[in-house]
Amino acid sequence: MLSPWPTNKALPQSEGAAGVLVGHPFDTVKVRLQVQNVEKPLYRGTFHCFQSIIKQESAFGLYKGIGSPMMGLTFINALVFGVQGNTLRALGKDTPLNQFLAGSAAGAIQCIICCPMELAKTRMQLQGTGEYKLKTKNYKNSLDCLIKIYQKEGLRGINRGMVSTFIRETPSFGFYFLTYDLMTRYLGCEAEDSYVIPKLLFSGGISGIVSWLSTYPMDVIKSRLQADGVGGITQYNGILDCVRKSYHEEGWRVFTRGLTSTLLRAFPVNAATFATVTVFLMYMRSEDDLRECEPGPVIQQPSSL
């Protein structure tokens, strides 16, 4: 079976950038829907939210906070695929259970970077909601956002939502790698298969959807905790308090807020991810084949000749 992920080579950064560019508008819509006031909702649903942001804030409004995930690409890619690969090797056998455990380990470790990154992203996405030109700009960019939060609240402030992020990411990445492994095995993704790229794209897209569905309610709670206090009013004392108050005010449907946008985002993001990685690997393998066919060292002639 052909694995699309690099084993001994660094994951290309274009892969992560492609995923962020494709998926960030959907993520902005998701966050807006997750944290909006139920008593005075700004958006009626996913498509209305898209339309409203573009109309009120221009298309650039959909890309608020994109600097944060872009900054974290290198570190998160290195952690996720490095930890997953090393954990799988340490476990010995490539079994479905070990795929889940290795993925979960990767998800848990990358929370160290993911949590502050998503905090800055969320705060930036909510800044200037409904404003074409910001009247008050609390943060210049994602880095400025983290610096100001740290100055005001310290390490605890920039790690707001860490526990909820950990609860979300650990099983989510486990299901991601497990589903991807099962899908590629079932579809028979072999290097010589002429349909290998569509199969890898489909496997990656389905894996992304499954991983989001597995822990989505916790993502809603995480977003609410990280957005809490943006307007100067703190509503929640922790995860359980957030769950209780959210359910009491809006019922069980609150835990599916923004799900449509998330699922619409999950497939194309992973499709872009796997397409870029596959093309990268095909290029690298063709380069390796050419090197193997090259003759031994050739004595260079003087440049004047």
Side-chain angles (χ1 to χ4, degrees):
M1 183 187 70
L2 173 66
S3 172
W5 299 116
T7 52
N8 297 319
K9 295 179 177 126
L11 189 71
Q13 293 309 305
S14 56
E15 166 270 319
V20 172
L21 289 172
V22 171
H24 194 78
F26 293 93
D27 187 74
T28 300
V29 170
K30 179 204 75 166
V31 171
R32 294 281 183 93
L33 291 171
Q34 286 177 334
V35 304
Q36 71 173 343
N37 190 332
V38 67
E39 296 178 358
K40 298 179 180 179
L42 295 174
Y43 314 112
R44 296 191 297 270
T46 300
F47 297 106
H48 180 250
C49 185
F50 265 109
Q51 293 173 347
S52 298
I53 292 175
I54 293 174
K55 182 179 179 179
Q56 298 169 356
E57 306 171 41
S58 81
F60 291 106
L62 294 170
Y63 285 93
K64 285 182 177 179
I66 195 172
S68 182
M70 284 293 190
M71 284 193 303
L73 278 178
T74 303
F75 303 106
I76 287 182
N77 283 339
L79 277 177
V80 168
F81 296 101
V83 172
Q84 193 271 344
N86 287 322
T87 303
L88 193 60
R89 282 192 288 272
L91 291 172
K93 295 182 179 179
D94 183 5
T95 65
L97 176 60
N98 287 347
Q99 284 284 351
F100 179 83
L101 293 175
S104 297
I109 294 296
Q110 61 96 42
C111 288
I112 300 171
I113 297 173
C114 177
C115 181
M117 183 193 79
E118 293 208 354
L119 173 64
K121 174 185 69 66
T122 299
R123 296 291 177 92
M124 291 294 295
Q125 286 172 326
L126 297 176
Q127 183 172 247
T129 299
E131 299 178 17
Y132 185 76
K133 290 186 178 180
L134 298 184
K135 296 176 182 178
T136 56
K137 196 171 183 179
N138 296 322
Y139 312 115
K140 297 177 183 177
N141 50 52
S142 298
L143 182 59
D144 180 60
C145 177
L146 287 176
I147 291 173
K148 287 182 176 178
I149 293 174
Y150 176 76
Q151 291 174 341
K152 185 178 180 180
E153 305 175 48
L155 283 174
R156 186 173 182 177
I158 62 173
N159 286 296
R160 180 189 293 268
M162 178 63 79
V163 176
S164 56
T165 301
F166 178 84
I167 296 173
R168 182 195 70 174
E169 296 291 85
T170 302
S172 177
F173 271 85
F175 282 111
Y176 178 85
F177 282 100
L178 171 62
T179 304
Y180 176 72
D181 180 65
L182 294 176
M183 287 295 297
T184 51
R185 290 179 187 276
Y186 176 76
L187 294 175
C189 296
E190 301 294 341
E192 63 275 7
D193 188 350
S194 58
Y195 297 102
V196 66
I197 293 179
K199 288 179 179 180
L200 292 174
L201 293 176
F202 182 74
S203 300
I206 295 298
S207 301
I209 289 175
V210 170
S211 67
W212 272 108
L213 287 174
S214 66
T215 58
Y216 190 76
M218 185 51 63
D219 183 67
V220 176
I221 299 304
K222 180 204 71 72
S223 294
R224 292 194 161 204
L225 289 173
Q226 291 187 327
D228 195 28
V230 169
I233 301 174
T234 303
Q235 302 180 62
Y236 312 117
N237 294 321
I239 295 176
L240 294 178
D241 185 54
C242 183
V243 171
R244 182 179 60 81
K245 288 181 177 177
S246 298
Y247 178 76
H248 178 73
E249 294 174 2
E250 304 174 54
W252 65 269
R253 289 183 182 274
V254 68
F255 302 113
T256 63
R257 282 271 199 95
L259 182 58
T260 300
S261 174
T262 301
L263 296 183
L264 287 173
R265 169 199 178 206
F267 202 98
V269 164
N270 285 279
T273 297
F274 279 83
T276 309
V277 170
T278 303
V279 171
F280 173 78
L281 285 180
M282 289 174 64
Y283 171 78
M284 293 301 295
R285 285 168 182 166
S286 65
E287 287 289 310
D288 291 341
D289 291 340
L290 286 174
R291 290 192 191 97
E292 290 176 3
C293 295
E294 287 178 355
V298 178
I299 299 175
Q300 295 293 322
Q301 297 293 328
S303 57
S304 59
L305 300 177

